[in-house]
Amino acid sequence: MDLMEKITSLAKRRGFIFPGSEIYGGYQGFWDYGPLGVELKNNIKREWWRSMVYSREDVVGIDAAIIMNPIVWEKSGHLKAFTDPMVECKVCHKRFKADDEVAVKNHEKEHDGKAEWTEAKQFNTLTEVLLGVTEPKEKAYLRGEITQGVFVNFKNVVDSTRVKIPFGIAQIGKAFRNEITPGNFTFRDLEFDQMELEYFVKPDEAESKKIFEFWKETRKNWYIGLGIAEEKLRFRDHEPEKRAHYARYATDIEYNAPFGWSEFEGIHHRGDFDLKNHGLTYRDEVTGEEFIPWVIETSGGVDRAMLFFLIDAYAEDGERVILKLNPKLSPYKVAVFPLLKNKPELVEKAREIYSSLKKNFNTAWDDRGNIGKRYFAQDEIGTPWCVTVDFQSLDDSTVTIRERDTAKQQRVSIDKLTEYFQNELG
Ligand code: GAP
């Protein structure tokens, strides 16, 4: 099995990620997050929010609607320019992204090299929905980027809070794209979560460039801080012809995935493109000066981040599979075991500890099989610490804590456990 197969299989077997609508054969480009997946995903979002909103004085958050007045997409340029060039196979009418050389070549092989292609046509990737009760129904769109929800609320945020330029508006939420070639597990989906910051600055070339560089570094360091190996990350500047219609310039943070260097997150200098198109300005209360702010954007995908965190954390040690996730991201922080299932006094003590830890940490309980198997099962889902209650615990109120990556054990007093894990988690 190659690494992607191992990750896909682990994700399904242990309840991280399931194919969407699987009992009906799945639905390409859609995925469901299971009991452990939702925890990992929420932890990624929480860490992002903590670093982008709570730890800063100049950023506030919003949560805008997924469906917006269709005028938004006209003004934002998406109806005209949110397109991918697509070619159609004249033999079987399957469609592919024109610039996806690998998919095009693979398809030609299916027809023994005899595939003939139509000219490339522009294909709009906004997902259409029909609303209303009278015919014809009104056509609207599921948002293709969460970003426009920030711009249409720019004035509301300025008027309702005390933000002053430079400041940012952060948001996490669902976006939808009618992708021509979804794939590489959850890397390219039709429905996905984005986590974005729109940072509004004065329209100044040098200053905005400095802020752009600041966010590039800050975002790359965020991934490194959460455990992604630095040598697996790089910046890639977009060539002018590859830039999104709104971008003056753009850099991707890329990850060296098993399927090649791939976009993790985009940092975009959007200039005044969006606010100008929506007819919005900002007035400096002190100088009275009115201007259209420029926007530096950091735009990451939650599903993609989760996939790369899983890939990067995956390790094998003989038979043992270990997800070396940063504990802040781990679905369970602690697992509690009674050494033996059939000794009521051990089970009772372990249940007490379990209930107490659960108040502060997502805690797992396991009393099946032998201790070694329980450790293996927790290693495979990234639980950083296992607590075992043994006979000594009944005498001296201590337990063993076993650490995931080193498999080292130490004895800790039961009444110090919460403090211990709080310290470890920072
Ligand atoms: N607001 C800017 C914007 O949406 P983007 O580069 O098109 O920029 C930003 O998307 C991020 O969203 C990407 O870096 C990626 O992490 C995520 N993303 C985009 N399309 C995706 C898809 N089809 N499936 C999963 N994630 C996607």
Side-chain angles (χ1 to χ4, degrees):
M1 266 207 277
D2 69 19
L3 181 57
M4 284 311 289
E5 285 167 342
K6 286 177 181 172
I7 300 274
T8 312
S9 145
L10 170 66
K12 164 105 197 286
R13 188 162 33 84
R14 300 305 309 269
F16 283 94
I17 306 169
F18 307 126
S21 321
E22 193 185 11
I23 61 166
Y24 295 110
Y27 208 47
Q28 205 192 6
F30 294 91
W31 299 92
D32 295 336
Y33 289 87
L36 295 187
V38 67
E39 297 300 333
L40 176 52
K41 209 171 164 193
N42 282 343
N43 291 343
I44 294 171
K45 293 186 201 174
R46 191 175 307 112
E47 284 307 313
W48 187 89
W49 199 265
R50 225 202 290 265
S51 114
M52 301 299 270
V53 184
Y54 295 161
S55 76
R56 300 189 60 91
E57 282 183 42
D58 55 353
V59 176
V60 293
I62 65 158
D63 181 15
I66 286 175
I67 298 178
M68 291 185 273
N69 188 319
I71 298 172
V72 170
W73 302 107
E74 202 182 296
K75 298 282 185 191
S76 71
H78 282 73
L79 283 182
K80 223 197 266 158
F82 199 51
T83 54
D84 274 333
M86 190 186 62
V87 287
E88 186 174 310
C89 167
K90 285 185 183 169
V91 181
C92 67
H93 304 292
K94 276 199 184 148
R95 292 171 174 181
F96 295 88
K97 254 180 154 166
D99 53 9
D100 189 345
E101 285 168 25
V102 177
V104 166
K105 284 235 165 67
N106 281 344
H107 188 69
E108 283 173 356
K109 273 191 214 145
E110 281 176 34
H111 291 302
D112 295 327
K114 290 193 199 96
E116 261 190 77
W117 300 101
T118 59
E119 288 290 302
K121 264 194 279 193
Q122 291 300 325
F123 172 81
N124 195 294
T125 48
L126 280 180
T127 312
E128 295 173 6
V129 283
L130 295 174
L131 299 176
V133 285
T134 51
E135 296 294 341
K137 291 193 173 121
E138 188 190 9
K139 185 156 86 175
Y141 305 91
L142 299 179
R143 58 187 179 190
E145 59 168 3
I146 62 172
T147 332
Q148 295 303 320
V150 167
F151 297 134
V152 300
N153 282 293
F154 176 76
K155 189 172 179 318
N156 283 335
V157 173
V158 170
D159 291 349
S160 62
T161 68
R162 299 190 313 174
V163 291
K164 304 255 178 307
I165 292 245
F167 73 91
I169 303 179
Q171 184 176 212
I172 299 179
K174 292 270 186 193
F176 300 81
R177 291 183 193 175
N178 209 351
E179 296 281 3
I180 302 161
T181 41
N184 285 327
F185 198 19
T186 56
F187 178 76
R188 183 167 288 111
D189 318 310
L190 270 63
E191 172 180 340
F192 52 97
D193 271 277
Q194 291 186 309
M195 37 193 186
E196 290 193 340
L197 173 74
E198 306 304 318
Y199 198 77
F200 300 94
V201 302
K202 279 201 158 167
D204 180 291
E205 207 61 65
E207 187 64 17
S208 65
K209 175 88 181 132
K210 237 173 39 202
I211 292 174
F212 182 85
E213 293 301 324
F214 166 81
W215 281 113
K216 263 171 61 178
E217 292 299 331
T218 304
R219 292 303 304 143
K220 186 173 161 212
N221 288 336
W222 184 78
Y223 291 109
I224 295 168
L226 285 173
I228 299 283
E230 189 166 0
E231 64 276 13
K232 290 274 193 77
L233 294 174
R234 73 174 187 195
F235 291 124
R236 192 183 63 79
D237 295 336
H238 283 208
E239 307 85 41
E241 65 282 6
K242 290 257 168 135
R243 276 179 210 147
H245 62 280
Y246 48 73
R248 295 180 77 223
Y249 46 88
T251 301
D252 285 342
I253 299 173
E254 290 190 330
Y255 177 73
N256 193 1
F259 42 86
W261 285 97
S262 311
E263 177 184 346
F264 217 139
E265 165 156 349
I267 318 294
H268 307 123
H269 190 314
R270 296 178 77 122
D272 65 3
F273 183 86
D274 302 272
L275 291 183
K276 190 166 152 194
N277 288 347
H278 291 303
L280 294 161
T281 58
Y282 174 86
R283 198 168 161 278
D284 187 313
E285 272 176 16
V286 179
T287 63
E289 186 194 358
E290 192 166 339
F291 59 90
I292 305 173
W294 286 1
V295 174
I296 308 299
E297 167 184 75
T298 73
S299 176
V302 182
D303 310 74
R304 223 170 251 196
M306 174 161 158
L307 176 62
F308 292 160
F309 279 123
L310 283 173
I311 291 172
D312 214 65
Y314 186 92
E316 289 174 1
D317 178 10
E319 291 279 281
R320 191 159 81 104
V321 170
I322 319 162
L323 271 190
K324 295 187 171 177
L325 288 169
N326 181 305
K328 290 194 172 101
L329 300 182
S330 295
Y332 289 116
K333 308 302 178 210
V334 193
V336 178
F337 314 144
L339 181 66
L340 298 168
K341 187 186 181 171
N342 55 2
K343 294 284 174 211
E345 60 277 33
L346 292 183
V347 174
E348 194 187 329
K349 189 92 210 148
R351 292 291 309 176
E352 252 173 50
I353 295 170
Y354 169 71
S355 306
S356 149
L357 288 175
K358 237 176 141 40
K359 288 184 197 139
N360 291 296
F361 314 101
N362 195 21
T363 306
W365 170 265
D366 197 356
D367 58 8
R368 299 160 308 166
N370 64 42
I371 286 284
K373 279 204 178 127
R374 294 182 214 162
Y375 286 151
F376 274 35
Q378 295 301 326
D379 289 342
E380 199 186 35
I381 59 171
T383 309
W385 302 287
C386 294
V387 167
T388 302
V389 175
D390 54 19
F391 292 104
Q392 191 183 329
S393 311
L394 304 176
D395 290 338
D396 67 1
S397 291
T398 64
V399 287
T400 61
I401 297 179
R402 182 256 194 193
E403 206 266 336
R404 177 193 67 200
D405 299 350
T406 58
K408 283 207 179 107
Q409 302 194 15
Q410 57 173 312
R411 281 205 92 83
V412 174
S413 173
I414 293 170
D415 59 7
K416 290 272 184 314
L417 281 176
T418 297
E419 194 186 322
Y420 178 92
F421 296 127
Q422 254 152 6
N423 283 343
E424 288 289 328
L425 286 162

